[in-house]
Amino acid sequence: MLRRKSPFAAAPAAAKQGEGEEAPARRPGAPLSLAGLLVSIFLVAIFLYNEDSAVVKAPIAALDAGAGASRARSAPDLHLLHEVNPRPQQQQREQGEEDEGRRHVEQVESRRKASDGDRVDAPARADKRAAPATTTTTTPPPSSSGGNTTTTTSSRAAVAAPEPAACNLYQGWWTYDAEASQVPLYREAECEFLTEQVTCMRNGRRDDSYQRWRWQPSSCDLPRFDARALLERLRNKRLMFVGDSLNRNQWESMVCLVSSAIPAREQRSLAKFVGPNGSLNVFRAAEYNATVEFYWAPFLVSSNSDDPQAHSVADRVIAWRSIAKHARHWRAADLLVFNTYIWWLNNFEMKVLKNPRAMPDKYTVVDRPVAYKEVLKTWAKWVDRHVDPGRTKVFFMGMSPNHGVPDAWGGGPGAIKCAMETQPILNHTGPLYVGTDWRLHGAAEAVLRSMRRVPVHLVDITALSEFRKDAHTSVHTLRQGKLLTPEQQADPRAYADCIHWCLPGLPDTWNHFLYAQIVAAPPPPAQAQTLMQSSSSL
């Protein structure tokens, strides 16, 4: 029987001797034979070999068994081990993803060869504004004239990069729905609540192609818009849009979207210029006891432009710490959608009241981005102090871009602002410079990140909307409350509106993003049973 005690007893003595220490004297009468010494060395070698093999193999065995054992030396890179020796299930899943990706690439290439002109690549940021911290390799969006095509990530990229927490709805491309199978979500002639400012077809526009461009996120699909499902989420609630005329543009879109699910006229109504100083417009869905409202506050804080009907003030002055006058009318809302942008573009500097109460005529001039950020800090402080995050959901809309400079998208020699544009910006490479002040976008992101108590979702519409030069009201709209005359329509340089949007149109997509956030969120317990009953009857 072999015993391992003698090799370990001999090893320390040899080590000490090698270090210059004197070895203990051998006991007389116990001679050590040469054969015994060789056997001892052999056993030591076998023992050390077995021990070293056990140390090397243990982490791999533990990994295969799902254990967290660590090596005596440096710990292995688990990502590399998964790459070298994947588990059977993972190997099958990756093989399936590779096959699917290969098929998808083949489909994309065939479609690209068939049609290479109806695509817009719209990253969530263009050029330097938005290089994401972590990217995954995606198949380029396909050319399409109405198909439902999605992109997939390669299996290697999926292993190397972390999976995103949720789908980024704002990265993707525009695809033309020739059959109008998914857009528009309602018809201009069927929505009685649209104002003449946005009814472009009624006002003389001849093409309706701007209504048929559908946004396709690159890593997922937008849920199909269901107006009844949205109304169920709004039952006994107030959805309020707060901001400027672009938010009013979006509010009109939302009114048409929800009213399309209420066929009975007596079950829907609209009251305009009611409430405080006529600042409130209210659409009511009687059956659901729900309202969709718009509150005029172009700067969110108090300003000399707060009159909802007579607000065309060239010399604009704001009180960047005064928000209570407006905000007390928002507190009871269940869903709040804020925006402020277009009214900031009149000047590079803003006039800010020093002390609105004591010195209403004394102001200081502040750079636009600085003033914008300070206003949003005032707004954010109010939201954190007065909004109950368990009851109220808050959104902040990104900047709605203008399209007044055709050189930005390579407009032809006779191009005048956005007039006569009938397609989005297609196949554009490189950065877009349509005039958006991205400094304000960055200020909004910074303020929203600083909010701790109330989560606010940024509906990041800016980059994807920059491609939609075709969707503005242009000369098919109002001017000072009156429809443009034929002579005025013939002078787009003076009269084209490249700020607001036709309806149906781009703001419907913005509301589709809101729909995805509202309907995808878990409902309050009181609504859960109602929603289940409603879905069973659909």
PDB file of all heavy atoms in Angstrom, residues 100-116 119 138-144 149-152 173:
ATOM      1  N   GLU A 100     -30.999  31.860 -39.701  1.00  0.00           N
ATOM      2  CA  GLU A 100     -32.013  32.893 -39.954  1.00  0.00           C
ATOM      3  C   GLU A 100     -31.359  34.157 -40.506  1.00  0.00           C
ATOM      4  O   GLU A 100     -31.860  34.783 -41.434  1.00  0.00           O
ATOM      5  CB  GLU A 100     -32.757  33.221 -38.658  1.00  0.00           C
ATOM      6  CG  GLU A 100     -33.850  34.272 -38.844  1.00  0.00           C
ATOM      7  CD  GLU A 100     -34.516  34.605 -37.522  1.00  0.00           C
ATOM      8  OE1 GLU A 100     -34.211  33.939 -36.525  1.00  0.00           O
ATOM      9  OE2 GLU A 100     -35.334  35.537 -37.512  1.00  0.00           O
ATOM     10  N   GLY A 101     -30.219  34.543 -39.899  1.00  0.00           N
ATOM     11  CA  GLY A 101     -29.513  35.729 -40.380  1.00  0.00           C
ATOM     12  C   GLY A 101     -29.058  35.571 -41.818  1.00  0.00           C
ATOM     13  O   GLY A 101     -29.137  36.494 -42.621  1.00  0.00           O
ATOM     14  N   ARG A 102     -28.571  34.324 -42.166  1.00  0.00           N
ATOM     15  CA  ARG A 102     -28.119  34.085 -43.534  1.00  0.00           C
ATOM     16  C   ARG A 102     -29.285  34.206 -44.514  1.00  0.00           C
ATOM     17  O   ARG A 102     -29.169  34.815 -45.572  1.00  0.00           O
ATOM     18  CB  ARG A 102     -27.475  32.690 -43.619  1.00  0.00           C
ATOM     19  CG  ARG A 102     -26.717  32.446 -44.913  1.00  0.00           C
ATOM     20  CD  ARG A 102     -26.068  31.068 -44.911  1.00  0.00           C
ATOM     21  NE  ARG A 102     -25.183  30.889 -43.779  1.00  0.00           N
ATOM     22  CZ  ARG A 102     -25.440  30.088 -42.761  1.00  0.00           C
ATOM     23  NH1 ARG A 102     -26.570  29.385 -42.737  1.00  0.00           N
ATOM     24  NH2 ARG A 102     -24.591  29.963 -41.755  1.00  0.00           N
ATOM     25  N   ARG A 103     -30.444  33.621 -44.129  1.00  0.00           N
ATOM     26  CA  ARG A 103     -31.625  33.726 -45.004  1.00  0.00           C
ATOM     27  C   ARG A 103     -32.059  35.173 -45.152  1.00  0.00           C
ATOM     28  O   ARG A 103     -32.444  35.615 -46.229  1.00  0.00           O
ATOM     29  CB  ARG A 103     -32.759  32.874 -44.440  1.00  0.00           C
ATOM     30  CG  ARG A 103     -32.540  31.372 -44.575  1.00  0.00           C
ATOM     31  CD  ARG A 103     -33.835  30.615 -44.292  1.00  0.00           C
ATOM     32  NE  ARG A 103     -34.322  30.874 -42.957  1.00  0.00           N
ATOM     33  CZ  ARG A 103     -33.985  30.136 -41.901  1.00  0.00           C
ATOM     34  NH1 ARG A 103     -33.151  29.099 -42.050  1.00  0.00           N
ATOM     35  NH2 ARG A 103     -34.480  30.404 -40.713  1.00  0.00           N
ATOM     36  N   HIS A 104     -31.992  35.899 -44.031  1.00  0.00           N
ATOM     37  CA  HIS A 104     -32.436  37.292 -44.078  1.00  0.00           C
ATOM     38  C   HIS A 104     -31.541  38.143 -44.979  1.00  0.00           C
ATOM     39  O   HIS A 104     -32.012  38.955 -45.766  1.00  0.00           O
ATOM     40  CB  HIS A 104     -32.447  37.887 -42.673  1.00  0.00           C
ATOM     41  CG  HIS A 104     -32.808  39.335 -42.645  1.00  0.00           C
ATOM     42  ND1 HIS A 104     -34.068  39.787 -42.931  1.00  0.00           N
ATOM     43  CD2 HIS A 104     -32.057  40.423 -42.376  1.00  0.00           C
ATOM     44  CE1 HIS A 104     -34.098  41.088 -42.830  1.00  0.00           C
ATOM     45  NE2 HIS A 104     -32.880  41.507 -42.503  1.00  0.00           N
ATOM     46  N   VAL A 105     -30.222  37.920 -44.878  1.00  0.00           N
ATOM     47  CA  VAL A 105     -29.296  38.663 -45.720  1.00  0.00           C
ATOM     48  C   VAL A 105     -29.576  38.384 -47.185  1.00  0.00           C
ATOM     49  O   VAL A 105     -29.568  39.289 -48.026  1.00  0.00           O
ATOM     50  CB  VAL A 105     -27.835  38.307 -45.362  1.00  0.00           C
ATOM     51  CG1 VAL A 105     -26.880  38.874 -46.393  1.00  0.00           C
ATOM     52  CG2 VAL A 105     -27.500  38.842 -43.981  1.00  0.00           C
ATOM     53  N   GLU A 106     -29.860  37.111 -47.513  1.00  0.00           N
ATOM     54  CA  GLU A 106     -30.178  36.775 -48.899  1.00  0.00           C
ATOM     55  C   GLU A 106     -31.438  37.487 -49.368  1.00  0.00           C
ATOM     56  O   GLU A 106     -31.504  37.992 -50.488  1.00  0.00           O
ATOM     57  CB  GLU A 106     -30.336  35.257 -49.034  1.00  0.00           C
ATOM     58  CG  GLU A 106     -29.033  34.489 -48.804  1.00  0.00           C
ATOM     59  CD  GLU A 106     -29.253  32.987 -48.724  1.00  0.00           C
ATOM     60  OE1 GLU A 106     -30.441  32.573 -48.769  1.00  0.00           O
ATOM     61  OE2 GLU A 106     -28.271  32.247 -48.642  1.00  0.00           O
ATOM     62  N   GLN A 107     -32.454  37.539 -48.481  1.00  0.00           N
ATOM     63  CA  GLN A 107     -33.685  38.242 -48.839  1.00  0.00           C
ATOM     64  C   GLN A 107     -33.429  39.726 -49.046  1.00  0.00           C
ATOM     65  O   GLN A 107     -33.935  40.344 -49.984  1.00  0.00           O
ATOM     66  CB  GLN A 107     -34.739  38.034 -47.759  1.00  0.00           C
ATOM     67  CG  GLN A 107     -35.234  36.610 -47.646  1.00  0.00           C
ATOM     68  CD  GLN A 107     -36.131  36.421 -46.446  1.00  0.00           C
ATOM     69  OE1 GLN A 107     -36.392  37.360 -45.702  1.00  0.00           O
ATOM     70  NE2 GLN A 107     -36.586  35.198 -46.238  1.00  0.00           N
ATOM     71  N   VAL A 108     -32.636  40.290 -48.144  1.00  0.00           N
ATOM     72  CA  VAL A 108     -32.339  41.720 -48.247  1.00  0.00           C
ATOM     73  C   VAL A 108     -31.622  42.041 -49.543  1.00  0.00           C
ATOM     74  O   VAL A 108     -31.944  42.991 -50.241  1.00  0.00           O
ATOM     75  CB  VAL A 108     -31.491  42.178 -47.030  1.00  0.00           C
ATOM     76  CG1 VAL A 108     -30.924  43.569 -47.258  1.00  0.00           C
ATOM     77  CG2 VAL A 108     -32.338  42.161 -45.787  1.00  0.00           C
ATOM     78  N   GLU A 109     -30.619  41.207 -49.868  1.00  0.00           N
ATOM     79  CA  GLU A 109     -29.861  41.463 -51.082  1.00  0.00           C
ATOM     80  C   GLU A 109     -30.748  41.365 -52.317  1.00  0.00           C
ATOM     81  O   GLU A 109     -30.631  42.162 -53.240  1.00  0.00           O
ATOM     82  CB  GLU A 109     -28.690  40.476 -51.183  1.00  0.00           C
ATOM     83  CG  GLU A 109     -27.600  40.706 -50.145  1.00  0.00           C
ATOM     84  CD  GLU A 109     -26.997  42.087 -50.241  1.00  0.00           C
ATOM     85  OE1 GLU A 109     -26.890  42.608 -51.380  1.00  0.00           O
ATOM     86  OE2 GLU A 109     -26.660  42.667 -49.209  1.00  0.00           O
ATOM     87  N   SER A 110     -31.647  40.379 -52.339  1.00  0.00           N
ATOM     88  CA  SER A 110     -32.527  40.235 -53.501  1.00  0.00           C
ATOM     89  C   SER A 110     -33.465  41.426 -53.620  1.00  0.00           C
ATOM     90  O   SER A 110     -33.719  41.919 -54.718  1.00  0.00           O
ATOM     91  CB  SER A 110     -33.319  38.929 -53.408  1.00  0.00           C
ATOM     92  OG  SER A 110     -34.174  38.952 -52.278  1.00  0.00           O
ATOM     93  N   ARG A 111     -33.980  41.885 -52.480  1.00  0.00           N
ATOM     94  CA  ARG A 111     -34.878  43.045 -52.527  1.00  0.00           C
ATOM     95  C   ARG A 111     -34.121  44.306 -52.927  1.00  0.00           C
ATOM     96  O   ARG A 111     -34.652  45.165 -53.615  1.00  0.00           O
ATOM     97  CB  ARG A 111     -35.541  43.233 -51.164  1.00  0.00           C
ATOM     98  CG  ARG A 111     -36.586  42.173 -50.853  1.00  0.00           C
ATOM     99  CD  ARG A 111     -37.418  42.593 -49.652  1.00  0.00           C
ATOM    100  NE  ARG A 111     -38.452  41.602 -49.392  1.00  0.00           N
ATOM    101  CZ  ARG A 111     -38.460  40.818 -48.333  1.00  0.00           C
ATOM    102  NH1 ARG A 111     -37.520  40.931 -47.433  1.00  0.00           N
ATOM    103  NH2 ARG A 111     -39.425  39.944 -48.163  1.00  0.00           N
ATOM    104  N   ARG A 112     -32.869  44.423 -52.433  1.00  0.00           N
ATOM    105  CA  ARG A 112     -32.099  45.618 -52.762  1.00  0.00           C
ATOM    106  C   ARG A 112     -31.830  45.681 -54.257  1.00  0.00           C
ATOM    107  O   ARG A 112     -31.836  46.737 -54.870  1.00  0.00           O
ATOM    108  CB  ARG A 112     -30.787  45.632 -51.983  1.00  0.00           C
ATOM    109  CG  ARG A 112     -29.985  46.905 -52.207  1.00  0.00           C
ATOM    110  CD  ARG A 112     -28.677  46.905 -51.435  1.00  0.00           C
ATOM    111  NE  ARG A 112     -28.906  46.974 -50.007  1.00  0.00           N
ATOM    112  CZ  ARG A 112     -28.669  45.970 -49.186  1.00  0.00           C
ATOM    113  NH1 ARG A 112     -28.179  44.836 -49.649  1.00  0.00           N
ATOM    114  NH2 ARG A 112     -28.903  46.097 -47.900  1.00  0.00           N
ATOM    115  N   LYS A 113     -31.571  44.512 -54.850  1.00  0.00           N
ATOM    116  CA  LYS A 113     -31.337  44.492 -56.289  1.00  0.00           C
ATOM    117  C   LYS A 113     -32.602  44.843 -57.055  1.00  0.00           C
ATOM    118  O   LYS A 113     -32.554  45.467 -58.107  1.00  0.00           O
ATOM    119  CB  LYS A 113     -30.835  43.107 -56.708  1.00  0.00           C
ATOM    120  CG  LYS A 113     -29.429  42.787 -56.185  1.00  0.00           C
ATOM    121  CD  LYS A 113     -29.016  41.375 -56.549  1.00  0.00           C
ATOM    122  CE  LYS A 113     -27.641  41.041 -55.980  1.00  0.00           C
ATOM    123  NZ  LYS A 113     -27.234  39.647 -56.294  1.00  0.00           N
ATOM    124  N   ALA A 114     -33.754  44.406 -56.517  1.00  0.00           N
ATOM    125  CA  ALA A 114     -35.018  44.669 -57.204  1.00  0.00           C
ATOM    126  C   ALA A 114     -35.415  46.133 -57.120  1.00  0.00           C
ATOM    127  O   ALA A 114     -35.926  46.713 -58.064  1.00  0.00           O
ATOM    128  CB  ALA A 114     -36.125  43.789 -56.621  1.00  0.00           C
ATOM    129  N   SER A 115     -35.187  46.738 -55.974  1.00  0.00           N
ATOM    130  CA  SER A 115     -35.604  48.128 -55.786  1.00  0.00           C
ATOM    131  C   SER A 115     -34.689  48.789 -54.780  1.00  0.00           C
ATOM    132  O   SER A 115     -34.652  48.402 -53.637  1.00  0.00           O
ATOM    133  CB  SER A 115     -37.060  48.169 -55.287  1.00  0.00           C
ATOM    134  OG  SER A 115     -37.405  49.465 -54.906  1.00  0.00           O
ATOM    135  N   ASP A 116     -33.972  49.821 -55.227  1.00  0.00           N
ATOM    136  CA  ASP A 116     -32.973  50.450 -54.354  1.00  0.00           C
ATOM    137  C   ASP A 116     -33.251  51.929 -54.167  1.00  0.00           C
ATOM    138  O   ASP A 116     -32.349  52.709 -53.927  1.00  0.00           O
ATOM    139  CB  ASP A 116     -31.587  50.258 -54.955  1.00  0.00           C
ATOM    140  CG  ASP A 116     -30.486  50.518 -53.937  1.00  0.00           C
ATOM    141  OD1 ASP A 116     -30.753  50.340 -52.736  1.00  0.00           O
ATOM    142  OD2 ASP A 116     -29.380  50.904 -54.355  1.00  0.00           O
ATOM    143  N   ARG A 119     -35.818  53.841 -49.660  1.00  0.00           N
ATOM    144  CA  ARG A 119     -35.340  53.582 -48.316  1.00  0.00           C
ATOM    145  C   ARG A 119     -34.768  54.837 -47.700  1.00  0.00           C
ATOM    146  O   ARG A 119     -34.153  55.645 -48.353  1.00  0.00           O
ATOM    147  CB  ARG A 119     -34.267  52.489 -48.344  1.00  0.00           C
ATOM    148  CG  ARG A 119     -33.548  52.306 -47.022  1.00  0.00           C
ATOM    149  CD  ARG A 119     -32.697  51.050 -47.057  1.00  0.00           C
ATOM    150  NE  ARG A 119     -31.615  51.135 -47.997  1.00  0.00           N
ATOM    151  CZ  ARG A 119     -30.431  51.656 -47.709  1.00  0.00           C
ATOM    152  NH1 ARG A 119     -30.200  52.169 -46.522  1.00  0.00           N
ATOM    153  NH2 ARG A 119     -29.466  51.674 -48.604  1.00  0.00           N
ATOM    154  N   THR A 138     -26.108  45.117 -37.503  1.00  0.00           N
ATOM    155  CA  THR A 138     -27.431  44.805 -38.029  1.00  0.00           C
ATOM    156  C   THR A 138     -27.385  44.809 -39.539  1.00  0.00           C
ATOM    157  O   THR A 138     -26.584  45.505 -40.152  1.00  0.00           O
ATOM    158  CB  THR A 138     -28.484  45.832 -37.573  1.00  0.00           C
ATOM    159  OG1 THR A 138     -28.077  47.121 -38.017  1.00  0.00           O
ATOM    160  CG2 THR A 138     -28.617  45.843 -36.069  1.00  0.00           C
ATOM    161  N   THR A 139     -28.243  44.024 -40.137  1.00  0.00           N
ATOM    162  CA  THR A 139     -28.375  44.035 -41.580  1.00  0.00           C
ATOM    163  C   THR A 139     -28.956  45.371 -42.006  1.00  0.00           C
ATOM    164  O   THR A 139     -29.897  45.850 -41.394  1.00  0.00           O
ATOM    165  CB  THR A 139     -29.332  42.908 -42.015  1.00  0.00           C
ATOM    166  OG1 THR A 139     -28.837  41.692 -41.475  1.00  0.00           O
ATOM    167  CG2 THR A 139     -29.401  42.811 -43.526  1.00  0.00           C
ATOM    168  N   PRO A 140     -28.440  46.026 -43.041  1.00  0.00           N
ATOM    169  CA  PRO A 140     -28.992  47.310 -43.461  1.00  0.00           C
ATOM    170  C   PRO A 140     -30.460  47.165 -43.802  1.00  0.00           C
ATOM    171  O   PRO A 140     -30.898  46.121 -44.280  1.00  0.00           O
ATOM    172  CB  PRO A 140     -28.161  47.658 -44.712  1.00  0.00           C
ATOM    173  CG  PRO A 140     -26.909  46.866 -44.560  1.00  0.00           C
ATOM    174  CD  PRO A 140     -27.310  45.613 -43.841  1.00  0.00           C
ATOM    175  N   PRO A 141     -31.278  48.209 -43.552  1.00  0.00           N
ATOM    176  CA  PRO A 141     -32.695  48.132 -43.854  1.00  0.00           C
ATOM    177  C   PRO A 141     -32.930  47.913 -45.333  1.00  0.00           C
ATOM    178  O   PRO A 141     -32.205  48.465 -46.166  1.00  0.00           O
ATOM    179  CB  PRO A 141     -33.238  49.488 -43.395  1.00  0.00           C
ATOM    180  CG  PRO A 141     -32.042  50.372 -43.332  1.00  0.00           C
ATOM    181  CD  PRO A 141     -30.888  49.501 -43.004  1.00  0.00           C
ATOM    182  N   PRO A 142     -33.904  47.102 -45.661  1.00  0.00           N
ATOM    183  CA  PRO A 142     -34.114  46.751 -47.061  1.00  0.00           C
ATOM    184  C   PRO A 142     -34.848  47.838 -47.815  1.00  0.00           C
ATOM    185  O   PRO A 142     -35.581  48.612 -47.255  1.00  0.00           O
ATOM    186  CB  PRO A 142     -34.984  45.490 -46.970  1.00  0.00           C
ATOM    187  CG  PRO A 142     -35.755  45.689 -45.708  1.00  0.00           C
ATOM    188  CD  PRO A 142     -34.831  46.412 -44.765  1.00  0.00           C
ATOM    189  N   SER A 143     -34.648  47.866 -49.124  1.00  0.00           N
ATOM    190  CA  SER A 143     -35.518  48.662 -49.963  1.00  0.00           C
ATOM    191  C   SER A 143     -36.888  48.042 -49.929  1.00  0.00           C
ATOM    192  O   SER A 143     -37.046  46.836 -49.979  1.00  0.00           O
ATOM    193  CB  SER A 143     -34.983  48.684 -51.401  1.00  0.00           C
ATOM    194  OG  SER A 143     -33.672  49.205 -51.426  1.00  0.00           O
ATOM    195  N   SER A 144     -37.902  48.873 -49.854  1.00  0.00           N
ATOM    196  CA  SER A 144     -39.239  48.314 -49.679  1.00  0.00           C
ATOM    197  C   SER A 144     -40.266  49.248 -50.247  1.00  0.00           C
ATOM    198  O   SER A 144     -40.125  50.454 -50.207  1.00  0.00           O
ATOM    199  CB  SER A 144     -39.533  48.072 -48.191  1.00  0.00           C
ATOM    200  OG  SER A 144     -40.872  47.677 -48.023  1.00  0.00           O
ATOM    201  N   THR A 149     -40.573  44.047 -43.317  1.00  0.00           N
ATOM    202  CA  THR A 149     -39.277  43.409 -43.187  1.00  0.00           C
ATOM    203  C   THR A 149     -38.582  43.926 -41.953  1.00  0.00           C
ATOM    204  O   THR A 149     -38.560  45.115 -41.720  1.00  0.00           O
ATOM    205  CB  THR A 149     -38.411  43.704 -44.429  1.00  0.00           C
ATOM    206  OG1 THR A 149     -39.149  43.371 -45.591  1.00  0.00           O
ATOM    207  CG2 THR A 149     -37.130  42.903 -44.389  1.00  0.00           C
ATOM    208  N   THR A 150     -38.009  43.015 -41.178  1.00  0.00           N
ATOM    209  CA  THR A 150     -37.286  43.421 -39.989  1.00  0.00           C
ATOM    210  C   THR A 150     -35.847  42.999 -40.116  1.00  0.00           C
ATOM    211  O   THR A 150     -35.493  42.184 -40.961  1.00  0.00           O
ATOM    212  CB  THR A 150     -37.894  42.773 -38.731  1.00  0.00           C
ATOM    213  OG1 THR A 150     -37.844  41.354 -38.902  1.00  0.00           O
ATOM    214  CG2 THR A 150     -39.322  43.213 -38.526  1.00  0.00           C
ATOM    215  N   THR A 151     -34.979  43.578 -39.270  1.00  0.00           N
ATOM    216  CA  THR A 151     -33.578  43.226 -39.287  1.00  0.00           C
ATOM    217  C   THR A 151     -33.258  42.343 -38.107  1.00  0.00           C
ATOM    218  O   THR A 151     -33.950  42.342 -37.102  1.00  0.00           O
ATOM    219  CB  THR A 151     -32.704  44.481 -39.229  1.00  0.00           C
ATOM    220  OG1 THR A 151     -33.000  45.166 -38.007  1.00  0.00           O
ATOM    221  CG2 THR A 151     -32.966  45.394 -40.391  1.00  0.00           C
ATOM    222  N   THR A 152     -32.178  41.561 -38.232  1.00  0.00           N
ATOM    223  CA  THR A 152     -31.741  40.705 -37.137  1.00  0.00           C
ATOM    224  C   THR A 152     -30.283  40.985 -36.846  1.00  0.00           C
ATOM    225  O   THR A 152     -29.519  41.382 -37.722  1.00  0.00           O
ATOM    226  CB  THR A 152     -31.891  39.217 -37.500  1.00  0.00           C
ATOM    227  OG1 THR A 152     -31.120  38.952 -38.669  1.00  0.00           O
ATOM    228  CG2 THR A 152     -33.335  38.858 -37.739  1.00  0.00           C
ATOM    229  N   TRP A 173     -36.002  52.970 -40.026  1.00  0.00           N
ATOM    230  CA  TRP A 173     -36.082  53.638 -41.326  1.00  0.00           C
ATOM    231  C   TRP A 173     -37.545  53.800 -41.720  1.00  0.00           C
ATOM    232  O   TRP A 173     -38.444  53.174 -41.177  1.00  0.00           O
ATOM    233  CB  TRP A 173     -35.320  52.841 -42.391  1.00  0.00           C
ATOM    234  CG  TRP A 173     -35.871  51.470 -42.655  1.00  0.00           C
ATOM    235  CD1 TRP A 173     -36.818  51.110 -43.565  1.00  0.00           C
ATOM    236  CD2 TRP A 173     -35.505  50.257 -41.978  1.00  0.00           C
ATOM    237  NE1 TRP A 173     -37.066  49.766 -43.504  1.00  0.00           N
ATOM    238  CE2 TRP A 173     -36.276  49.217 -42.544  1.00  0.00           C
ATOM    239  CE3 TRP A 173     -34.600  49.958 -40.960  1.00  0.00           C
ATOM    240  CZ2 TRP A 173     -36.152  47.905 -42.101  1.00  0.00           C
ATOM    241  CZ3 TRP A 173     -34.494  48.650 -40.533  1.00  0.00           C
ATOM    242  CH2 TRP A 173     -35.261  47.644 -41.113  1.00  0.00           C
TER     243      TRP A 173
END
